[in-house]
């Protein structure tokens, strides 16, 4: 790992100022992604601003929403009473991620900001537009089994690896941010970006901006929600495809629906058109199959991820069936 | 840039002849410092020309850290980049905690920090300042093995033993967290500990025995 300076501020402002002023400074929270990348030489910050002493760990009710501090640990959020009661989908998604040890270290803010698991991004010997803009994308013609089927560009076809993010996208969450120019809120679905011509810019967070919390608004989905994660082994692996499904059902009719997918795009992939296809329909496999068809419009695969074109719609149907209590 | 401020150009230019092994040591040091400055090639080249690597290393602060490890207080001065795992193994000779992958993928480095299991390879020692760390060496009560250690022996919960310290630390946490109520739950919550020898069924049996024995873990 490269040498760096280490500071541990106790006030948000001090942390924000330090990262704003120093071009090579970055925040560190749990360290589970950043240190991994630093050990491999993928990123080499010269100053780490440890934010663990900032008061950002609380999980509380805030005008109808559940407000989760950026430093709340993934494992703590997954077992929090309020989260389990109001947003079991989020708890399920968190539980599906990483391992018990890593969830004891990983924070909510860090989880959102984690980088892709594209193997070429990690391999500093090979071209990668995300790591070194302009060098090319090794995955497009390479081993692209884990890669995107939606929203990619000819510069980058990587996927976002977060499970938590898929649930937050489905649940209309909002990210609360504090920065050199003040505070602002970013809808979670607009937080991450598609690769376009600048795959190295993954979020709309500006330099020096600190995630302070995420708000998950009140909803009627707690009874019928399911996070389905399909992976190469039963646990402790990233998603090939994952689905966050949430339904509000009355008299066997779908009143409202939320649907998002992971492992298929550069960001957690919200499926608003498929949601519309669900609303007003009876709860049935036929309804779910139709919605899955809508969801898959525009999908395109590469040489090694063709299987996702089948796995994804089947996973949507399965997740919806489980959420509805049909499976 | 901080580097320039801390490393004035007035540096000893002693490039005197070193014995071969010394030269190699210098080269290794130098190259690791060079990687630190890969983003600023101009400066890095200058550093190499002047051979002032010792000074460069000193320019990075050593950070003072207090840690309680297995009940004993340690006051340490550390390079910030030292992981908790490297501190335990390289500096404190607590080699019971293993380095399997060094990337959070195997669980061999599992220790408890303030009672919670974590991967010591993916955290910096400086980030744990003021915390209490328990390693496999701190689990037994004197010469009396911890019940989980006894159970692993009884059930053959290992073959080569490399993953075992991590498995045991994780297993104790698994019960304390209340995640050992069924075989399925044990497997899920122990999935962060990989065993290349495939001792999994026996590990599950060991954990079940301790859990069902109702002993305090
Ligand atoms: C072996 C392994 C398996 C994994 N499996 C999964 C999985 O299955 N599913 C999954 O979702 N994840 C998985 N992960 C990823 C894991 O969830 C992330 O590493 C973790 O969530 C990152 O959080 P952190 O607090 O450790 O972030 P850090 O590593 O500390 O930081 C990551 C990035 O976020 C930035 N950052 C952190 N906090 C803030 C903040 N408050 N404001 C602004 N920027 C911030 C940092 O500057 C850094 O760039 C896995 C990781 C490993 C190592
Ligand atoms: S897919 Fe993106 S991250 Fe992977 S090699 Fe191409 S540019 Fe890099
Ligand atoms: S050595 Fe830490 S998880 Fe493998
Ligand atoms: S006993 Fe050999 S790796 Fe587990």
């Amino acid at each position: 790992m490269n040498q760096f300076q280490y500071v541990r501020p106790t006030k948000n402002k001090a942390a924000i100022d330090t990262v704003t002023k120093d071009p090579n400074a970055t925040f560190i929270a749990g360290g589970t992604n950043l240190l991994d990348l630093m050990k491999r030489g993928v990123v080499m910050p010269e100053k780490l601003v440890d934010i663990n002493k900032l008061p950002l760990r609380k999980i509380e009710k805030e005008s109808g929403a559940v407000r989760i501090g950026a430093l709340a640990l993934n494992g703590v959020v997954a077992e929090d009473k309020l989260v389990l009661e109001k947003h079991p989908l989020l708890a399920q998604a968190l539980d599906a991620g990483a391992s018990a040890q890593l969830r004891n270290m990983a924070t909510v803010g860090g989880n959102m900001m984690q980088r892709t698991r594209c193997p070429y991004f990690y391999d500093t010997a090979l071209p990668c537009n995300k790591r070194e803009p302009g060098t090319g994308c090794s995955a497009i013609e390479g081993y692209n089994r884990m890669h995107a089927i939606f929203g990619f560009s000819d510069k980058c076809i990587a996927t976002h690896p977060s499970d938590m993010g898929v649930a937050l996208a489905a649940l209309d969450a909002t990210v609360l941010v504090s920065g050199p120019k003040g505070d602002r809120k970013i809808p979670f679905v607009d937080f991450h970006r598609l690769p376009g011509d600048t795959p190295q810019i993954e979020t709309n967070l500006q330099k020096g901006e600190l995630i302070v919390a995420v708000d998950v608004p009140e909803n009627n989905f707690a009874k019928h929600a399911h996070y389905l994660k399909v992976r190469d082994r039963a646990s402790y692996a990233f998603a090939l495809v994952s689905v966050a499904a949430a339904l509000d059902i009355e008299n066997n009719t779908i009143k409202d629906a939320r649907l998002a997918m992971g492992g298929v795009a550069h960001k957690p992939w919200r499926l608003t058109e498929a949601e519309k296809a669900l609303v007003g329909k009876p709860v049935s496999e036929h309804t779910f199959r139709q919605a899955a068809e809508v969801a898959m419009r525009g999908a395109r695969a590469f040489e090694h991820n063709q299987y996702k074109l089948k796995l994804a719609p089947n996973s949507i149907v399965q997740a919806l069936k489980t959420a509805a209590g049909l499976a | 840039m901080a580097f320039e401020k801390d490393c004035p150009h007035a540096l000893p230019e002693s490039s005197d002849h070193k014995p071969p092994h010394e030269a190699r040591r210098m080269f290794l040091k130098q190259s690791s410092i060079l990687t630190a400055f890969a983003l600023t090639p101009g400066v890095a080249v200058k550093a190499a020309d002047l051979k002032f690597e010792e000074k460069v290393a000193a320019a990075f602060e050593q950070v003072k850290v207090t840690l309680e490890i297995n009940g004993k207080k340690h006051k340490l001065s550390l390079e910030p980049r030292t992981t908790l795992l490297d501190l335990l193994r390289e500096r404190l000779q607590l080699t019971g905690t293993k380095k399997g992958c060094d990337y959070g993928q195997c669980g061999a480095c599992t220790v408890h920090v303030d009672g919670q299991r974590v991967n010591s390879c993916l955290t910096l020692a400086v980030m744990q300042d003021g915390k209490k760390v328990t390693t496999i060496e701190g689990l037994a009560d004197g010469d009396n093995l911890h019940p989980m250690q006894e159970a692993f022996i009884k059930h053959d919960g290992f073959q080569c033993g490399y993953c075992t310290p991590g498995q045991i630390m994780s297993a104790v946490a698994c019960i304390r967290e209340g995640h050992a109520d069924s075989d399925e739950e044990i497997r899920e919550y122990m999935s962060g500990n990989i065993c290349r020898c495939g001792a999994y069924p026996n590990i599950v049996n060991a954990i079940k025995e301790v859990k069902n024995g109702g002993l305090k873990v």
Side-chain angles (χ1 to χ4, degrees):
Chain A
M1 212 186 308
N2 64 292
Q3 299 258 26
F4 52 81
Q5 292 187 322
Y6 173 82
V7 291
R8 190 167 53 213
T10 51
K11 299 248 160 43
N12 292 1
K13 189 172 176 311
I16 293 163
D17 283 351
T18 310
V19 174
T20 305
K21 284 190 194 123
D22 189 334
N24 294 315
T26 189
F27 300 121
I28 183 164
T32 61
N33 191 226
L34 189 62
L35 295 175
D36 190 346
L37 294 166
M38 286 172 68
K39 284 182 183 189
R40 299 172 201 259
V42 177
V43 295
M44 295 192 214
E46 289 170 14
K47 186 183 276 182
L48 291 191
V49 179
D50 181 349
I51 59 174
N52 284 289
K53 288 279 185 284
L54 305 183
L56 304 173
R57 278 183 206 280
K58 265 200 211 142
I59 304 172
E60 58 196 344
K61 257 194 195 151
E62 178 65 40
S63 45
V66 177
R67 176 163 293 177
I68 303 168
L71 288 174
L73 298 176
N74 286 188
V76 170
V77 180
E79 306 207 343
D80 182 80
K81 272 212 183 90
L82 192 59
V83 173
L84 283 167
E85 180 202 328
K86 301 277 182 191
H87 306 295
L89 183 65
L90 176 59
Q92 286 177 36
L94 282 163
D95 266 337
S99 66
Q101 288 96 312
L102 286 161
R103 294 195 294 272
N104 279 343
M105 310 167 79
T107 64
V108 165
N111 190 319
M112 274 181 226
M113 296 295 289
Q114 65 175 298
R115 314 290 305 271
T116 184
R117 292 277 159 174
C118 171
Y120 303 105
F121 174 68
Y122 271 81
D123 187 342
T124 52
L126 292 170
C128 165
N129 284 327
K130 191 184 277 301
R131 184 168 24 78
E132 278 180 76
T135 53
C137 170
S138 297
I140 290 177
E141 301 277 311
Y143 190 56
N144 42 36
R145 178 170 174 269
M146 299 293 286
H147 291 72
I149 54 173
F150 290 111
F152 50 80
S153 72
D154 60 356
K155 297 285 189 295
C156 178
I157 62 169
T159 55
H160 196 271
S162 169
D163 289 297
M164 177 194 80
V166 184
L168 290 180
L171 294 172
D172 300 306
T174 303
V175 186
L176 278 65
V177 163
S178 189
K181 292 184 194 141
D183 298 347
R184 65 183 181 120
K185 294 184 178 184
I186 311 171
F188 188 79
V189 288
D190 299 330
F191 184 80
H192 296 93
R193 299 161 55 105
L194 290 179
D197 285 334
T198 52
Q200 72 278 17
I201 309 172
E202 289 164 351
T203 70
N204 287 315
L205 207 63
Q206 302 297 310
K207 173 79 176 158
E209 280 190 316
L210 176 75
I211 302 164
V212 293
V214 56
D215 274 357
V216 190
E218 184 95 63
N219 63 44
N220 289 321
F221 301 124
K223 260 196 280 175
H224 298 288
H226 186 66
Y227 187 73
L228 175 71
K229 181 173 177 180
V230 184
R231 44 191 154 177
D232 284 325
R233 58 184 182 201
S235 182
Y236 199 20
F238 287 95
L240 299 170
V241 164
S242 71
V243 179
L247 298 169
D248 179 5
I249 300 171
E250 214 175 85
N251 302 326
N252 215 39
T253 301
I254 301 167
K255 267 182 71 184
D256 204 358
R258 294 290 182 277
L259 207 55
M261 251 196 289
V264 296
H266 200 253
K267 58 188 281 187
W269 197 244
R270 176 81 179 259
L271 298 162
T272 32
E273 291 305 312
E275 290 168 8
K276 284 182 205 154
L278 288 165
V279 174
K281 303 272 168 55
V283 172
S284 74
E285 177 154 355
H286 178 72
T287 302
F288 299 156
R289 205 33 84 191
Q290 279 184 328
E293 258 169 48
V294 174
M296 293 305 293
R297 278 185 203 148
R300 221 190 80 203
F302 294 85
E303 187 181 354
H304 301 286
N305 67 353
Q306 297 280 340
Y307 72 96
K308 288 193 183 181
L309 296 180
K310 256 196 180 166
L311 181 60
N314 286 343
S315 301
I316 291 174
V317 173
Q318 186 62 34
L320 285 167
K321 278 170 73 175
T322 312
L326 291 187
Chain B
M1 194 187 139
F3 171 76
E4 282 167 324
K5 186 159 41 80
D6 297 339
C7 308
H9 295 287
L11 286 161
E13 265 191 73
S14 63
S15 58
D16 41 15
H17 298 286
K18 296 261 177 355
H21 70 278
E22 183 75 344
R24 184 171 167 276
R25 191 179 68 90
M26 298 287 274
F27 169 74
L28 288 174
K29 271 196 174 173
Q30 220 163 15
S31 51
S32 73
I33 289 155
L34 281 179
T35 52
F37 290 103
L39 296 171
T40 54
V43 179
V45 169
K46 228 179 279 164
D49 288 340
L50 294 171
K51 297 202 168 48
F52 62 73
E53 63 283 347
E54 300 287 349
K55 271 274 161 70
V56 176
F60 286 93
E61 77 226 279
Q62 296 258 324
V63 178
K64 292 224 170 355
V65 180
T66 307
L67 280 170
E68 188 179 317
I69 300 170
N70 299 332
K72 195 172 152 220
K73 261 228 166 97
H74 292 262
K75 287 200 164 162
L76 303 153
S77 183
L78 294 174
E79 263 186 31
R81 65 174 166 172
T82 313
T83 61
L84 178 58
L85 176 60
D86 286 344
L87 168 69
L88 294 170
R89 291 183 55 86
E90 313 285 329
R91 179 96 175 247
L92 303 175
Q93 272 69 54
L94 289 167
T95 52
T97 307
K98 301 300 180 212
K99 184 183 279 190
C101 64
D102 213 20
Y103 296 111
Q105 299 177 350
C106 75
C109 65
T110 303
V111 300
H112 297 174
V113 173
D114 285 350
Q116 303 294 314
R117 52 174 156 165
V118 300
N119 301 105
S120 60
C121 70
L122 278 190
T123 187
L124 299 171
V126 290
M127 293 168 70
Q128 306 306 331
D129 191 21
K131 304 253 171 85
K132 289 186 181 156
V133 179
T134 308
T135 70
I136 189 73
E137 289 92 343
L139 207 56
D141 176 14
D143 282 342
N144 295 324
L145 290 182
H146 184 277
M148 192 61 79
Q149 291 173 311
E150 299 267 18
F152 265 64
I153 295 170
K154 180 173 164 198
H155 289 276
D156 270 336
F158 50 86
Q159 266 184 48
C160 76
Y162 197 82
C163 70
T164 314
Q167 297 281 2
I168 290 177
M169 296 312 286
S170 206
V172 170
C174 186
I175 293 183
R176 286 186 190 158
E177 291 161 7
H179 290 307
D181 285 337
S182 66
D183 286 23
E184 208 179 36
E185 194 182 22
I186 292 171
R187 283 196 198 99
E188 174 58 33
Y189 282 87
M190 288 296 292
S191 72
N193 293 81
I194 307 288
C195 174
R196 284 185 304 179
C197 299
Y200 299 114
N202 298 356
I203 292 172
V204 174
N205 288 339
I207 296 173
K208 271 202 305 199
E209 173 167 303
V210 176
K211 156 88 184 158
N212 297 338
L215 287 170
K216 195 176 174 304
V217 291

